[in-house]
Structures are given as C-alpha cells and as structure tokens.
Amino acid sequence: MLALRLVRGTHPVVQLRRLLVAAAAAGVGFLLLCSLGYAVGHPGNSSEAVLRLLWCALPLAATVQFAVAVARTDPSVRPRPGLSAIGLGPARLTAIAATSTAVACTLGSAVALLCYLHLRGDITGLPFDGAAADLLAADQPVPLAAALTLLAVVPVAGATAAGLALRPRKTAEAPAVRTATAGLPWGVALLATGLAVETYAARGDGGGVLAGWVLTAIGLAMAGPGITHGSGRLLQMVRPGAVRLLAGRVLMDEAHRIGRPLGVVAAVGSGAVAGYALYGGELGPLSWLGVTVVVGCTTATLLSAALESKQARTHTTEALLRLGAPPTVLRTTALLRAGVLLAVFVPLTWAVGALAAVPLRG
C-alpha cells in the first residue's frame, strides 16, 4: 500500500516516465505473445519459433534497462534524512522501487494481453477484416499458462534489476576513474569478438548473427565509460581554459554514469546502420515494433542518465554560482560536453555498423 501511495502522490513528470515504462513493457509483452502465436500456428517450424523468441531478448533488455533508469531517478524512493526513523530505510526504499517497477511493467503486460486477444478476435470479433489472423494464429486456442508465463518475464526481470541496482551497499564503490579505464580493453575485445562472430555466422542461421550483435552491444556498453573518460581527458589537453577544464572534469567524473547508456545507444545505432544497409526500410510490423521499443528505451535511458548526472551535480553547480560563475559559462560547458560526445560516438557508431554490414551483405 505504501508503494502505491508513493506512486500516486509523485510529480506528473515521474508518472509520465512510469507510463513510458508500462508502454515499453506492453510492446515487449506483445512481441512475446506474437512469438508464442507463431509457435502455436507453425508447430513444425520450431527452430524459427525459437529464433523469434530469442530476438525478443533485445527489446526486453532495453526495457529492463529503461525501467532501472526510471527507478534510479525516482525522487519518491531517494533516501532522505528522517525516513529511517519511520521505518523507511534504504532497504525498504529499495523494495518500494522494485514494487513500483513491477506495478508499471505488470500494467504494460496486461495491456499487451488485451491488445493481443483483441487482434485475434477473442474479445469482440476480428478487427481490421482479419488482417492479423494469420500472424497471431487466430484459428488456434491461446495456451494460457504459456502466455501468462511469458507476460510475467518483464515484471519479474524489471523488479529484480531495479532491486539489484538500488540495493544498499555496505562497502565503498570502486573509483569511477578506475572502473572506466579498466572496462575499455574488455569492451574493445568483446566488440572485436562480436564482429568476428557476425562474420562467421553471416552465411549461417540468424542465431549466430544475434549472438554476434549481442557481443558487439556488450562491448560498446563496456567501452562507453572509458571512451567518455578519454574524451574528458582530451578536452583538458593543451592549455585548457575554464570552460574546457570544467567540461572535461565533468565528463571524467560522470563517465561511469553516462558512458554505459551512451555505449548502448551506439550499439543500437550501429545495428540500425547495418540493418538499413541490408534491408532498407522493408521490415514487417513486428520488426518495426521491436525497433521502436529498443530505440525508444535506449534513448530514454540516456536522457534519464543525463538527468541523474545533473541531479548529482546540483551542489557543485550551486557552489559555482555562489562563487560568481556566470550561467552562460555553465550552459557553454554543457554544450561543449554534448558536442564532444557527438563528435566521438557518431563516427564510432557508423564505423561499427558499416563493419557489421559488410559480412552480412556478402
């Protein structure tokens, strides 16, 4: 009940972010149900059914990442002085955050089930003149236990990930600088391995291509903090002024927080570049739904990470303003950070996407 009261009493912007999580969960739930419908309608093509289910892991991972980012920026579960005295310590707030995430994802799964049943004609008859009947296996009964199991994946995964990300930590975290320089070699190695796997599996089945793309995405996500940290260090070279020095220092300090979402966005962008080189815009409706969920969730996660970074720098910004720093300097610093990150990650995204498309196209 406490989690529901906190959800109901929060700011409308926070409620909007939770509704976006529910919408993403609805998209993933619908894709999972469509994979189940394909398996029911094509019992002799089990390999294709498994492959369709595996491809649903990409929007599922993007949705879980977005749900965790929303939970991290939720002000209602942020530790504040005095809350422990009324029984709202860090562990209780973590449980509330996990519960709120589960509620949002469950709402999305319920919407997905209603839409799926409506398009199958199980509620009010076949809509759209039965255009989706073959795609959703409308002539076959829905295996209710399997459908509910698949729909429970998103709430369980989202709540578990939110609880693990926000759990109280008894030991001090490793310095951000050390964590960001340490992940770069592993990220580059996984990136190269993923491209090699895609090259090897180019003439084989789609499962190998999926595995290669996942390795590439993990490699870019691991290398993102190191690349962001290196960009901040590069800004401070050769007699930096106050703006370059401040922008570079912020990038170095926030490399771990914003570098990983940047790496994930770069991975999604590289996949989009490779997919466009192969197929152009000729995708089916379910493929477009999956692309929309992945792109929307990763972009929203990056924006949430930027918001979290801004909130973490509140005291520093206030101190600079008290010392007489003009607001234009802070705005110029923010624009410089964004420009440097675009100049680094956009060519990297295009290069990885072009390299991934070469063996697939051949």
Side-chain angles (χ1 to χ4, degrees):
M1 288 299 296
L2 180 59
L4 294 177
R5 289 180 180 179
L6 289 176
V7 167
R8 187 179 59 183
T10 50
H11 195 273
V13 176
V14 180
Q15 299 283 27
L16 177 61
R17 291 201 292 263
R18 288 171 178 160
L19 287 177
L20 290 177
V21 172
V28 177
F30 187 79
L31 289 174
L32 290 171
L33 290 176
C34 289
S35 299
L36 176 63
Y38 183 87
V40 172
H42 302 80
N45 198 357
S46 59
S47 59
E48 180 66 21
V50 172
L51 183 60
R52 285 172 177 251
L53 186 62
L54 288 177
W55 275 108
C56 293
L58 300 181
L60 172 62
T63 300
V64 170
Q65 184 194 26
F66 178 45
V68 171
V70 170
R72 291 176 65 95
T73 57
D74 192 343
S76 63
V77 296
R78 190 175 303 150
R80 292 184 294 273
L83 290 181
S84 298
I86 59 174
L88 291 178
R92 184 73 180 277
L93 291 176
T94 300
I96 292 175
T99 303
S100 301
T101 304
V103 168
C105 294
T106 302
L107 174 62
S109 296
V111 172
L113 180 59
L114 290 177
C115 292
Y116 182 76
L117 294 177
H118 173 66
L119 292 176
R120 279 174 46 91
D122 295 333
I123 299 179
T124 58
L126 281 174
F128 308 114
D129 296 329
D134 294 336
L135 183 64
L136 305 181
D139 58 336
Q140 300 290 334
V142 178
L144 185 60
L148 294 179
T149 301
L150 288 177
L151 289 175
V153 170
V154 183
V156 171
T160 302
L164 291 176
L166 300 177
R167 71 188 186 279
R169 291 171 172 82
K170 298 180 180 180
T171 58
E173 293 291 333
V177 174
R178 186 181 305 171
T179 303
T181 307
L184 183 59
W186 290 103
V188 173
L190 283 176
L191 175 61
T193 303
L195 291 175
V197 171
E198 289 184 28
T199 303
Y200 180 78
R203 299 182 181 276
D205 57 353
V209 176
L210 174 62
W213 191 89
V214 168
L215 288 176
T216 302
I218 295 176
L220 282 172
M222 292 185 65
I227 297 173
T228 305
H229 184 270
S231 301
R233 186 178 294 276
L234 185 64
L235 267 178
Q236 301 174 77
M237 296 176 62
V238 191
R239 297 180 180 180
V243 174
R244 282 203 294 140
L245 189 65
L246 182 59
R249 179 54 61 181
V250 170
L251 282 181
M252 292 176 64
D253 291 341
E254 302 294 332
H256 185 70
R257 182 177 283 116
I258 66 174
R260 186 158 296 174
L262 270 173
V264 174
V265 170
V268 172
S270 64
V273 170
Y276 184 80
L278 290 173
Y279 307 110
E282 298 178 359
L283 296 177
L286 296 181
S287 299
W288 276 116
L289 176 60
V291 169
T292 302
V293 171
V294 171
V295 173
C297 287
T298 52
T299 304
T301 300
L302 179 59
L303 295 177
S304 298
L307 176 62
E308 184 184 4
S309 176
K310 181 180 180 181
Q311 293 173 350
R313 297 194 311 271
T314 300
H315 298 295
T316 303
T317 303
E318 293 175 352
L320 288 173
L321 292 175
R322 285 197 303 267
L323 291 175
T328 55
V329 172
L330 299 179
R331 288 194 292 268
T332 305
T333 302
L335 290 176
L336 181 60
R337 293 197 306 269
V340 168
L341 291 177
L342 285 175
V344 171
F345 277 93
V346 169
L348 175 64
T349 300
W350 180 85
V352 173
L355 288 174
V358 169
L360 299 177
R361 192 162 43 197

